[in-house]
Amino acid sequence: MFVEMWFWINSTPATGEQKTAAHLEVFKTTASVAVMLGGIGALYLAARRQRTQEAEHAHAVRIAEINRQHAERVAAATEDDAARRRVTELYTKAADQLGSDKAPVRLAGLYALERLGQDNSDQRRTIASLWCAYLRMPYTPPPPTVGRRPGGVARPLLSNPRRRTGILRPDPATLTSPNPAAAHAEAVLERDVRLTVQRLLGMHLRPRTDNNDQPHHDYWPEIPDLDLTGATLINLDLSSCALPAIRMDRATFIGRTTFGGATFTGRATFYGATFNHQVQFAHATFNGAAMFYGATFIGRATFVGATFDARTQFDGATFNANARFEDATFNAIGTFVRATFTEAARFNRVTFAGVASFDMAAFAAIATFNRTAFNDRVTFDDAAFAANTSFVHATFNRVTFDDAAFAANTLFVHATFKDHARFDSAVFDSTARCRNARVSVGGVTSQAMWPVGWTCVIPEPLNSEDVQWGQLVPVPMVLDQHVVSDMKTDGF
């Protein structure tokens, strides 16, 4: 372009001075353009160099961050591995201590496990399982007292040769036999260890709050279940605890046992368990199935105010002392089939929301079901009542007493029969008293079979808009028109 303009100026008719001036201007313009293009190129190179440096720096920063994170992960993994190894070592050592033949060492192992669980929530399930396994180990409690070991002579007598006459040498067999006093002392120490295990379980299963109204750090909700099958438990106190699924089948409970106010959040089984002293389940709540099949209650059994939300079985259970179920609630099926009550059985104000069965149950002493509500079907077929029995103010929906035997006074005074009622082949050795018992007209009367000597009298006329009630009266009184008239006056 510069050359073309140069030759174009030379081809013009201008004077020499004009051409020289024009050539100079062309040269200046071209130089300016060249300088401008050089600047632009320099700027481009500088910008490109800047971008390259920034990209390299960003890459270096990114690599450094990746290296740092990797180093942190490696350090954390190393620390975690070390912590896990430390926990494993502590657990193994504490578990070994539990196997010691010395009670103080076993106690140290228990408290070491407890501290380990406090600091490591993921270990609590394993620790609780180990404690339960310890309680499942065979154990014979010490007797209340130990007599003085027979035989033997005081040392001063042996020091005088003249006094050795007539002294028999000890039987070698007795030298190898265990020392009763030492065995008793060991049993007492083992009892202390077991009591400590039970206390630790109770402490960590009992929900409570701290001073800031937050869950207390002693509570271990991570324990999913407890297996105490066949365990020997002494003065067990799990009152107000939140108990997970628990198995106490064939367990032996020695001394007072307390579950008062406890909440069983899972299935609770006591198949074949033996309670050697009084047991307390007052106001306990069973959210899952409660199974006491074949359990033996030697002392007083108290279930006052207890709530059973799922299927409940006391089939084959034996109550050798008073059995108290006052104010209990059975929200599902509740059965006492073949249960044996040696002393008083009190079911006053109990609510059976589901099917209930006392078939073939044996009541050797007084049995009371006063103000009890059977809201579904209930059966007492082949049940045996050997003493006074009371269903005063009880409410029955559908009930059968087929082949039941009542050996003493039986009261159905003020009872209410809403639906099917039957006493087929029931035997009353004494007079059944059903005065003021109410019967729903149309629900019961068509298929009812009342105790011998009683019948239902229906008032006239019936009001179809309202529920009508008949009344149970002694058969001889049916012919007495005054009784019928009195019933009408009373609103029956």
Side-chain angles (χ1 to χ4, degrees):
M1 178 179 174
F2 173 79
V3 175
E4 291 177 352
M5 290 184 65
W6 188 274
F7 283 105
W8 178 78
I9 292 172
N10 289 334
S11 63
T12 58
T15 61
E17 293 180 356
Q18 292 176 338
K19 290 181 178 181
T20 301
H23 287 157
L24 183 59
E25 289 298 326
V26 169
F27 181 79
K28 290 180 179 180
T29 301
T30 302
S32 298
V33 171
V35 171
M36 183 182 66
L37 292 176
I40 292 174
L43 290 174
Y44 172 74
L45 293 176
R48 183 173 180 179
R49 186 181 301 109
Q50 179 66 24
R51 286 198 301 271
T52 302
Q53 291 176 348
E54 290 177 354
E56 291 177 350
H57 177 70
H59 178 71
V61 170
R62 190 162 53 250
I63 295 300
E65 179 64 18
I66 292 174
N67 292 335
R68 184 187 65 80
Q69 294 177 356
H70 176 70
E72 289 181 352
R73 286 194 297 269
V74 171
T78 303
E79 183 178 355
D80 184 66
D81 290 342
R84 288 181 179 275
R85 284 195 299 271
R86 177 60 176 165
V87 168
T88 301
E89 291 172 358
L90 291 174
Y91 177 84
T92 303
K93 182 179 179 180
D96 289 341
Q97 288 179 311
L98 278 183
S100 173
D101 58 351
K102 295 180 174 57
V105 178
R106 296 196 294 274
L107 284 172
L110 286 177
Y111 286 113
L113 287 171
E114 197 265 344
R115 288 194 301 273
L116 182 63
Q118 284 291 79
D119 298 333
N120 301 273
S121 60
D122 59 328
Q123 298 295 316
R124 293 173 179 176
R125 175 178 183 174
T126 304
I127 292 171
S129 297
L130 184 59
W131 286 347
C132 290
Y134 188 89
L135 293 175
R136 292 198 303 268
M137 295 174 60
Y139 172 66
T140 301
T145 58
V146 175
R148 184 175 180 179
R149 185 179 179 181
V153 180
R155 186 67 185 175
L157 296 178
L158 299 179
S159 60
N160 189 343
R162 297 179 181 178
R163 295 180 178 178
R164 295 181 183 178
T165 304
I167 298 178
L168 300 177
R169 296 179 61 84
D171 186 353
T174 62
L175 296 177
T176 58
S177 62
N179 187 334
H184 177 268
E186 178 58 30
V188 170
L189 292 175
E190 173 61 12
R191 181 181 60 189
D192 292 340
V193 176
R194 287 174 171 266
L195 290 173
T196 300
V197 177
Q198 295 175 186
R199 182 182 60 79
L200 291 175
L201 279 174
M203 179 177 68
H204 294 301
L205 290 169
R206 189 170 289 117
R208 57 188 185 280
T209 57
D210 57 18
N211 295 332
N212 297 322
D213 203 27
Q214 297 297 317
H216 199 279
H217 66 277
D218 283 341
Y219 177 50
W220 291 4
E222 298 83 2
I223 300 175
D225 54 27
L226 297 172
D227 185 2
L228 292 168
T229 302
T232 299
L233 305 168
I234 306 167
N235 296 326
L236 181 65
D237 183 3
L238 294 179
S239 58
S240 301
C241 289
L243 300 174
I246 187 169
R247 293 186 298 277
M248 292 189 163
D249 306 339
R250 301 181 303 282
T252 300
F253 297 85
I254 299 172
R256 180 181 175 88
T257 301
T258 304
F259 291 93
T263 299
F264 295 81
T265 59
R267 180 183 177 91
T269 61
F270 295 83
Y271 292 113
T274 300
F275 298 86
N276 287 325
H277 204 266
Q278 58 180 311
V279 57
Q280 180 75 256
F281 284 92
H283 303 288
T285 300
F286 295 83
N287 294 332
M291 299 296 173
F292 291 85
Y293 188 92
T296 300
F297 299 86
I298 296 176
R300 184 173 68 246
T302 303
F303 290 85
V304 174
T307 300
F308 302 88
D309 290 329
R311 184 183 183 94
T312 303
Q313 276 190 329
F314 285 88
D315 298 351
T318 300
F319 296 85
N320 290 333
N322 291 340
R324 299 187 57 192
F325 286 83
E326 293 102 328
D327 300 297
T329 301
F330 294 81
N331 289 320
I333 297 175
T335 59
F336 291 80
V337 176
R338 296 183 185 275
T340 300
F341 298 87
T342 304
E343 297 294 336
R346 303 189 183 279
F347 288 83
N348 302 326
R349 299 177 303 280
V350 175
T351 299
F352 290 91
V355 174
S357 177
F358 289 83
D359 293 347
M360 293 173 282
F363 298 86
I366 185 172
T368 60
F369 294 82
N370 300 331
R371 299 187 183 277
T372 294
F374 298 95
N375 296 331
D376 205 319
R377 178 170 55 87
V378 58
T379 59
F380 288 86
D381 299 343
D382 292 291
F385 299 86
N388 293 340
T389 305
S390 176
F391 291 90
V392 176
H393 284 287
T395 301
F396 301 94
N397 192 31
R398 296 171 58 86
V399 58
T400 61
F401 287 89
D402 295 349
D403 297 298
F406 299 86
N409 294 328
T410 305
L411 301 180
F412 288 93
V413 178
H414 293 287
T416 299
F417 297 88
K418 294 182 177 180
D419 204 336
H420 178 83
R422 192 175 66 213
F423 290 78
D424 189 15
S425 300
V427 177
F428 292 85
D429 291 343
S430 183
T431 303
R433 294 176 173 82
C434 303
R435 290 189 181 278
N436 297 317
R438 299 197 309 162
V439 180
S440 174
V441 174
V444 177
T445 55
S446 61
Q447 50 186 338
M449 187 174 295
W450 303 111
V452 176
W454 292 86
T455 189
C456 177
V457 174
I458 304 173
E460 295 289 349
L462 291 177
N463 183 353
S464 59
E465 295 180 359
D466 300 323
V467 175
Q468 292 297 309
W469 298 94
Q471 183 179 18
L472 292 183
V473 297
V475 172
M477 295 180 63
V478 174
L479 300 178
D480 189 347
Q481 298 299 322
H482 296 290
V483 174
V484 178
S485 176
D486 292 341
M487 289 177 60
K488 292 180 181 179
T489 304
D490 294 339
F492 288 100

